[in-house]
């Protein structure tokens, strides 16, 4: 997603994308996860929060794959990312 490239590190953009993780619309949630993944670890100091939020997506097999893809770019060295992949 282009927004992930241009909004990387911008606190307002990161906050707006994080807010969309709670959308009732599945395509908006997917786009938010993909955008955060494109931003990588440059999440304006909110990497830990985003990591926790994305790990929660792994409670649902339908959304877990989205989260794993994003986590592999946001927190590749975090042991929780490896645990999610291996679960």
């Amino acid at each position: 997603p282009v927004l992930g490239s241009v909004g990387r590190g911008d606190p307002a953009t990161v906050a707006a994308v994080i807010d969309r993780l709670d959308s009732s619309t599945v395509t908006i949630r997917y786009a938010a996860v993909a955008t955060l993944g494109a931003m990588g670890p440059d999440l304006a100091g909110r990497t830990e929060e985003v990591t926790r939020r994305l790990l929660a997506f792994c409670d649902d097999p339908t959304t877990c794959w989205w989260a794993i893809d994003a986590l592999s770019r946001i927190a590749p060295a975090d042991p929780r990312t490896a645990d999610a992949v291996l679960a």
Side-chain angles (χ1 to χ4, degrees), residues 9-20:
D10 177 67
T13 303
V14 172
V17 176
I18 290 170
D19 287 346
R20 279 151 183 84

Side-chain angles (χ1 to χ4, degrees), residues 17-85:
V17 176
I18 290 170
D19 287 346
R20 279 151 183 84
L21 292 174
D22 296 321
S23 174
S24 61
T25 306
V26 69
T27 54
I28 292 174
R29 287 194 315 271
Y30 172 76
V33 171
T35 299
L36 291 167
M39 289 178 172
D42 193 3
L43 298 171
R46 297 180 73 176
T47 302
E48 176 59 28
E49 173 190 355
V50 169
T51 299
R52 283 193 324 270
R53 297 283 306 271
L54 293 178
L55 287 167
F57 273 67
C58 286
D59 292 339
D60 179 344
T62 304
T63 58
C64 189
W65 293 110
W66 309 346
I68 288 171
D69 182 57
L71 286 165
S72 71
R73 290 184 254 154
I74 293 168
D78 190 315
R80 296 171 296 176
T81 298
D83 289 345
V85 170

